[in-house]
Amino acid sequence: MIRLEHIAKSFGGTPVLEDISLDLAPGTSLAVLGRSGTGKSVLAQITLGLLAPDAGRVLVEGAPLTRRTHRAFMARTGVLFQGAALFDSLTIWENVAFRLLNGPNRRSRSTAREAALEALARVDLAPRVADLHPADLSGGMQKRAGLARAIMGAPEFLVFDEPNSGLDPVTAREIDALIRTLVSDLGATAMTITHDMAGVRAIADTVMLLDEGRVRWQGPVAKIDTAEDGLLSRFLAR
Amino acid sequence: MTPVLAPLAFIGRGTRRMVARVGNVTLFSLAVLIRLPATARFPREVARAALQVGWLSLPVVGLTAVFTGAALALQIHAGGTRLSAEAVVPQIVAIGIVRELGPVLVGLMVAARVTSSIAAEIATMKVTEQISALVTLSTDPMTYLAAPRVLAGLVTLPLLVAVGDVLGLFGGFAVATAQLGFAPEAYVRTSWNFLTTADMALSLTKGAVFGLIAVTLACHAGMNAGRGARGVGQAVTSAVQSAAILILAANVALTALFFAP
Ligand SMILES: Nc1ncnc2c1ncn2[C@@H]1O[C@H](COP(=O)(O)OP(=O)(O)OP(=O)(O)O)[C@@H](O)[C@H]1O
Ligand SMILES: [Mg+2]
C-alpha cells in the first residue's frame, strides 16, 4: 500500500504539483495521465522517494519514507525511467541483471546472465543485444531493456514512466500485455505514466488525470468513457 | 543598492557561495572516505577506475615528465654557467623533479585528463537519471561510483608520480649526458646520493593528496551537476578549475609542512 498525502512541489518558485493525494491499494494498476510538463515524472520521483516534496508525505505500508525504510522499499520496487536510464558503461545484460550482480543477494555471473536473457525475452529483445551497450540500441529497444531491468526479481511495486512511448504499435501492445500479466500474476502494485489511451484501457484498474498541479479526474477505468470531463474526453478522442 | 556597493555585494555573494561550497566538498570527501572499505563489494568498478585514472594516464604523464626534466637540465646548466656552478645540474634536477615538478605535473595532468572525464561521466549519469536508477536498484551511488574512483586516485597517483619522477630524471640525464658533457655514471651517482628518503616520501605523499583532490572534486561536481548538457559542461569546468587550484595550494602547504624549520 502506497499513500501520498497532500504532496506539493515547486521548482524555483514555479509550482508543479499542488496538493496531490493518492492511494495505491495492493494489486492495483494505476495509470497517470496528463499533458506534457504537468509533473507526472516529478510525481513518480516523489512517490519513489527520489525527490523530496515541499509539503506532504509518502507512506509505504503506513510508514513514512525515511532513509532506513527507503532501502527496504527500493528492494521491492522496479522502476522504468522515462529515458530508460540504462548504465552506459555496462552491457545490456549487465544492466538487466544489475541487482543480481551488485545487490545484497548476489548470483554468479553465469546465473545472472541466464536470468537477464530470460527477462530480455519477455520484453521481446533477442539474445544478441545482451552483449551490446545501451548506446548501440534504438530508443525503443533501450525502453524495453529498461523494462526488463525493472521487472527483474519480480518486484511488488512497479513504476513505469511512459513504458511504450517510442515503440511501434505491435510492441506497445505486447508491453501492455506484459505489464497486465505482471500485475495480475505477481499481485504487484503498479503506477504507469502514459499518453497512450489504448494502453490505459489495457493495463489500468484506475486512472488519474493530472492537470495544473492537481488531480483533475480520478476513477475506475470502466468509467472513463462516461466521465464528463472535457480534458479527459480530449485524451480519449486521440 | 548604490552602484558603488554593487561590486562589494558581488564579491560578498561570491565569497559566501565559495564558503558553502568548501563546506559541501569537505562533507562529501568525508562521506567518500568512510565508504572506501565498502568498495571491496565492487571490484570491477575499482579495476575500471584504476585503469582509467592510472594506466591510461601513463603516456601523457611520462611524456610530460621527460620533456620537463630535459628542459630543466638545460635551464639549470645555462643559469649555473653564469655563476660557474654548472656542476650542480644533477642535484638541482633531482630535487626539482622529485620534490616539485614530478608530483605537480602529474597532478595537473591528471586534473586535465581524469578530473574532466570523471566529472563528465558522472554528470551525464546524473542528468540522464542513471544515478536515480542506481538508488532504485538498491545501490548507493557514493559507494558504487565515487568511492572506487577516489580509491583509484589515492592508490595510482603515487605510482604515477613515481613513474613521472623516474622519467623526469631520465629526461635531465639524457640531455646532460648527450648535450652538456656529463659522464653518465657520475651523473646517476650524484643524483642518487643527493636525494633523501624524505624527498621521495614527500613526492609520493603529494601524489596521494593530489589524487584525492583531483578525483573527489570530479565526483562532487558530477553528482551535483545541473540539468541538461549545460549542467554537464559546467560540472566539468568547475571540477577541473577547482582541482588545479587546490592541487597547487596543497603543494605549497605540503612543501611547507615537510620542510618546516
Ligand atoms: N529538477 C528539476 N528542476 C527544475 N524544474 C524541474 C525539475 N524537474 C522537473 N521540472 C519541471 O517540472 C515540470 C514537470 O516536469 P515533468 O518531467 O514531471 O513533466 P511530465 O508531466 O513528466 O511531462 P512529459 O509528459 O513531457 O514527460 C516541468 O515544467 C519541468 O520543467
Ligand atoms: Mg515525464
Side-chain angles (χ1 to χ4, degrees):
Chain A
M1 172 81 169
I2 299 175
R3 160 174 278 175
L4 307 191
E5 289 181 351
H6 307 296
I7 299 292
K9 181 76 190 175
S10 47
F11 291 107
T14 314
V16 174
L17 299 176
E18 307 173 51
D19 196 24
I20 307 268
S21 295
L22 168 72
D23 270 339
L24 257 178
T28 51
S29 174
L30 169 79
V32 179
L33 296 174
R35 301 170 65 171
S36 194
T38 45
K40 302 182 297 296
S41 298
V42 170
L43 184 67
Q45 285 176 351
I46 290 175
T47 308
L48 290 165
L50 297 172
L51 193 66
D54 299 339
R57 55 183 192 160
V58 178
L59 302 170
V60 177
E61 317 290 17
L65 274 186
T66 60
R67 207 171 264 250
R68 175 101 27 98
T69 57
H70 189 250
R71 267 190 162 265
F73 179 35
M74 288 299 111
R76 313 190 276 156
T77 304
V79 184
L80 168 64
F81 287 86
Q82 188 166 357
L86 297 171
F87 305 121
D88 300 315
S89 59
L90 303 180
T91 61
I92 295 299
W93 83 263
E94 287 170 332
N95 264 283
V96 173
F98 191 87
R99 262 186 216 277
L100 299 183
L101 293 171
N102 300 288
N105 307 312
R106 299 203 184 173
R107 302 294 142 74
S108 73
R109 282 180 74 78
S110 58
T111 314
R113 191 184 154 94
E114 283 304 311
L117 288 177
E118 254 171 59
L120 286 171
R122 292 189 80 171
V123 296
D124 215 11
L125 282 176
R128 66 163 192 88
V129 305
D131 294 302
L132 300 178
H133 282 83
D136 305 327
L137 265 57
S138 74
M141 291 164 90
Q142 290 182 13
K143 255 303 166 32
R144 282 184 277 158
L147 191 63
R149 185 174 72 181
I151 63 175
M152 273 293 270
E156 290 167 56
F157 301 112
L158 293 162
V159 175
F160 301 129
D161 197 343
E162 305 199 5
N164 46 28
S165 67
L167 298 188
D168 62 275
V170 178
T171 315
R173 295 292 78 79
E174 283 171 7
I175 297 296
D176 290 341
L178 176 66
I179 292 176
R180 186 74 256 183
T181 317
L182 285 168
V183 174
S184 51
D185 289 6
L186 308 170
T189 309
M191 173 175 180
T192 307
I193 296 167
T194 182
H195 291 296
D196 179 39
M197 289 313 296
V200 170
R201 292 175 200 278
I203 63 172
D205 307 315
T206 55
V207 176
M208 179 170 115
L209 174 66
L210 279 187
D211 191 42
E212 305 199 327
R214 293 178 182 274
V215 180
R216 170 147 176 164
W217 190 87
Q218 191 169 13
V221 70
K223 294 214 174 133
I224 52 174
D225 292 307
T226 50
E228 293 187 357
D229 184 286
L231 183 62
L232 188 59
S233 310
R234 274 160 67 199
F235 261 91
L236 292 170
R238 274 202 328 148
Chain B
M1 190 187 307
T2 62
V4 186
L5 287 180
L8 287 180
F10 179 72
I11 294 169
R13 270 198 306 275
T15 312
R16 206 167 59 206
R17 258 204 305 273
M18 207 169 87
V19 170
R21 185 141 174 261
V22 168
N24 284 339
V25 170
T26 310
L27 289 179
F28 182 88
S29 318
L30 293 176
V32 173
L33 290 176
I34 60 168
R35 284 171 171 84
L36 287 184
T39 54
R41 298 213 313 270
F42 304 116
R44 276 174 178 269
E45 289 305 300
V46 175
R48 214 169 68 84
L51 190 76
Q52 181 190 19
V53 177
W55 182 250
L56 296 177
S57 298
L58 271 176
V60 67
V61 159
L63 289 172
T64 314
V66 172
F67 290 141
T68 307
L72 188 63
L74 291 171
Q75 287 283 12
I76 304 292
H77 187 260
T81 312
R82 284 190 266 168
L83 307 168
S84 326
E86 57 268 41
V88 298
V89 169
Q91 291 94 324
I92 306 277
V93 167
I95 297 192
I97 291 290
V98 173
R99 286 187 188 171
E100 279 297 314
L101 292 171
V104 168
L105 287 173
V106 169
L108 291 179
M109 280 302 168
V110 166
R113 218 195 130 258
V114 175
T115 304
S116 56
S117 82
I118 290 180
E121 185 183 3
I122 296 184
T124 305
M125 293 185 73
K126 171 85 191 297
V127 166
T128 56
E129 295 194 289
Q130 292 175 53
I131 297 199
S132 294
L134 276 177
V135 175
T136 67
L137 292 165
S138 310
T139 303
D140 173 34
M142 292 287 280
T143 313
Y144 181 79
L145 291 177
R149 289 168 169 80
V150 170
L151 180 65
L154 210 54
V155 173
T156 61
L157 259 276
L159 299 176
L160 282 176
V161 167
V163 171
D165 286 350
V166 170
L167 290 176
L169 292 175
F170 171 77
F173 165 84
V175 167
T177 50
Q179 278 255 320
L180 310 175
F182 283 84
E185 211 181 312
Y187 185 98
V188 171
R189 197 168 349 97
T190 318
S191 301
W192 182 249
N193 289 341
F194 193 73
L195 283 173
T196 63
T197 325
D199 294 329
M200 296 179 214
L202 173 63
S203 198
L204 302 185
T205 307
K206 282 181 173 180
V209 172
F210 298 168
L212 190 67
I213 292 173
V215 181
T216 306
L217 287 176
C219 295
H220 179 261
M223 294 184 83
N224 292 288
R227 287 152 66 75
R230 197 152 159 246
V232 176
Q234 283 166 343
V236 174
T237 309
S238 109
V240 174
Q241 263 178 13
S242 39
I245 291 172
L246 207 58
I247 283 172
L248 294 173
N251 181 48
V252 178
L254 285 171
T255 309
L257 261 178
F258 256 74
F259 296 106

